[in-house]
Amino acid sequence: MRSGSSRHHHEIESVEELDGAVRRALASDRPHPLAGWQVQDVDLTGHEAELLSLDPHGALVLGSRMSDALATHLREGGALLFPSVPDVPFDPWRPHLYRPDELFAGLEQGYAATPDARVYAWSQRLHRGRVRDQLAMAIHDSSVDDALEERLRDRRVVGLMGGHAVDRTHPSYAAAARLAHALAAAGLTVATGGGPGAMEAANLGARLGDHDAAVLDEVLERLAQVPTYADDVTAWARCGLDAVEGLGDSGRSVGVPTWHYGHEPPNVFASEHAKYFRNAIREDVLLERCRAGIVYLPGAAGTVQEVFQAACANYYAAAEDVAPMVFVGEEHWTRTLPVWPLLQALARDRPMHDAVALVDDPSQVAGLLLG
């Protein structure tokens, strides 16, 4: 978790970071050498002797593994300890985002055996009155929020929003992938809702941002073998993983999905997923991070909700804080779902007026966002 102090000196999220922090503490002449430490989900058992010799006053330890003796020493010495949460199928204190291979581990036994599916099944069985379970989910989402902030720090992030029902053979799927590919190739990080359909296409294109367009076209051809997740999630995910096997990942593809919509699996193409339990938190976080602009591909109710969440923020924002909003598909946004006329009315005489645009050709979007 973040503090006002710099991460280099205080946040410890791996054994490697712990190694360096312990060396510095042993060499320090400070009265409380662990003061300011924030240790998150790290195995401390390999450093017990050193830690038992140090004054822990002012340290914060979140869900880390240690002996009872070390826990007593830390607690009685003035450290604040938050223990692991038992009997939940996820790690509430996790310091990092989810990789697709982590969410889909065990796919060879079928999607139902994967951590992603098991966590969703647990959330569906959850008794809403169990405060412990509610607390575990809240801690998890806070941890993911912190990890996403670290992941996107100092990056220019553009969001691509769109419907989950677009299958891999539809022309709009390829168009979304090519748009994201162009944005990632220009150095932008592409963030989506992390699900299937247009979101999957965008994460795919961004993942391949360091490859030329011909590689993306080859992968799109492979994906056509399993067009949709609706019939068989296992085959859909397996086809996706096979299609990009051996290809380098740009690292500029981020998904922000939610177990609230757990019946829609996360896609396998995001470099990493910030997966949340609470959908309201997830949507707010996703829109907040996309300061380089948001592109709205044709979608339905979920996409429309995202449109007006962002529009509300832009409506009240100062001119320098307005994020561009680009809509793709004139027919969709003016007639099928006539969002565009209402948005124009809202934007009139506001700083956001010049930051909204409607295009019919996805290839026009990159020029608008990249200048």
Side-chain angles (χ1 to χ4, degrees), residues 8 33 73 150 353:
H8 176 76
H73 169 73
E150 292 180 358
H353 180 268

Side-chain angles (χ1 to χ4, degrees), residues 40-252:
Q40 187 174 350
D41 203 39
V42 178
D43 186 349
L44 306 182
T45 56
H47 294 79
E48 297 235 348
E50 298 99 321
L51 293 172
L52 285 167
S53 72
L54 294 166
D55 182 345
H57 182 81
L60 173 63
V61 183
L62 306 170
S64 297
R65 183 181 173 190
M66 71 194 80
S67 68
D68 291 342
L70 180 55
T72 299
H73 169 73
L74 294 173
R75 192 177 296 110
E76 292 183 351
L80 183 59
L81 271 64
F82 287 81
S84 299
V85 181
D87 303 323
V88 295
F90 57 92
D91 178 6
W93 296 111
R94 61 175 299 115
H96 306 295
L97 300 182
Y98 291 96
R99 300 181 314 277
D101 62 349
E102 181 181 1
L103 289 171
F104 286 93
L107 186 64
E108 60 274 10
Q109 278 86 49
Y111 174 65
T114 65
D116 184 68
R118 288 189 285 107
V119 172
Y120 175 58
W122 173 87
S123 72
Q124 294 300 101
R125 294 193 300 267
L126 181 68
H127 186 272
R128 296 298 172 185
R130 294 189 66 182
V131 174
R132 187 192 66 174
D133 292 340
Q134 298 291 326
L135 179 61
M137 290 191 296
I139 292 171
H140 171 276
D141 284 0
S142 180
S143 298
V144 168
D145 193 28
D146 185 69
L148 182 61
E149 171 65 26
E150 292 180 358
R151 177 70 169 76
L152 297 182
R153 188 177 297 154
D154 300 324
R155 288 175 177 254
R156 295 184 63 213
V157 182
V158 60
L160 263 68
M161 313 302 173
H164 69 275
V166 178
D167 76 47
R168 290 167 168 173
T169 62
H170 197 279
S172 63
Y173 184 98
R178 291 175 183 132
L179 169 57
H181 180 266
L183 295 172
L188 294 176
T189 293
V190 175
T192 79
M199 296 172 282
E200 179 190 57
N203 280 134
L204 169 64
R207 176 194 175 101
L208 298 177
D210 290 339
H211 295 272
D212 61 38
V215 173
L216 174 60
D217 289 341
E218 291 173 7
V219 172
L220 289 170
E221 288 184 15
R222 295 174 205 155
L223 294 177
Q225 299 173 35
V226 184
T228 176
Y229 73 96
D231 300 323
D232 187 342
V233 175
T234 303
W236 171 82
R238 184 73 267 161
C239 176
L241 290 168
D242 290 345
V244 295
E245 186 175 4
L247 295 176
D249 184 341
S250 73
R252 297 189 292 277

Side-chain angles (χ1 to χ4, degrees), residues 7 20 38 47 104 120 129 137 180 276 290 297 343 345 348 350:
R7 181 182 184 279
Q38 293 187 96
H47 294 79
F104 286 93
Y120 175 58
M137 290 191 296
Y276 289 84
C290 299
L297 304 168
L343 191 64
R348 189 175 300 121
R350 305 294 296 187

Side-chain angles (χ1 to χ4, degrees), residues 314 322-327 340 343-344 347 352-358:
N314 272 347
V322 172
M325 301 173 68
V326 182
F327 295 81
W340 181 246
L343 191 64
Q344 284 185 303
M352 67 182 286
H353 180 268
D354 295 330
V356 295
L358 174 65

